[in-house]
Amino acid sequence: MTVLLTGGAGFIGQHLARRLVGAGHEVVALDLLHPQVHADPEAAVAAFPGPVVVGDVADPAAWEGLPEGVTCVVHLAAETGTGQSMYETERYHRVNVEGTRLAAEFARARGPPSCR
């Protein structure tokens, strides 16, 4: 199974990716590598046990650039930080709502759930 991890270069994504690879699965990440989260984006990419596609989950073009063969989507990408969400509402809405909608559409377009 090939698993797409949105936000996969983050803390949780890195740990999940290693577990999935250890269980015999392939992994690919879609991650913006935002500097607020990734002080060293190159290190995050190097630590991920599969390809990392740099892109914004709220950008439809990012989803078009993903490798073929993804059979499972684990959506972890999100903007976090309660304080910032109060004054950067558009960014938070775009990523957390629109990004989730695009992740669901991407998964649905690949057929019935196969994350088992």
Side-chain angles (χ1 to χ4, degrees):
M1 167 171 60
T2 300
V3 181
L4 168 67
L5 302 173
T6 68
F11 179 78
I12 295 170
Q14 292 276 358
H15 287 278
L16 178 57
R18 285 193 291 277
R19 295 284 302 246
L20 288 166
V21 168
H25 304 292
E26 295 180 25
V27 293
V28 60
L30 173 60
D31 200 302
L32 186 58
L33 299 176
H34 194 286
Q36 182 175 338
V37 178
H38 301 284
D40 186 352
E42 292 162 358
V45 170
F48 192 79
V52 175
V53 176
V54 179
D56 183 347
V57 295
D59 179 3
W63 295 93
E64 295 168 6
L66 294 171
E68 295 292 322
V70 170
T71 53
C72 181
V73 177
V74 177
H75 182 51
L76 301 172
E79 288 291 347
T80 61
T82 306
Q84 280 183 321
S85 71
M86 300 303 287
Y87 58 85
E88 293 188 41
T89 56
E90 178 56 35
R91 183 179 110 206
Y92 277 66
H93 180 270
R94 187 181 61 75
V95 172
N96 294 345
V97 176
E98 184 65 10
T100 299
R101 182 185 70 78
L102 291 171
E105 285 184 3
F106 181 85
R108 186 193 56 158
R110 271 135 193 85
S114 60
C115 297
R116 295 188 162 100

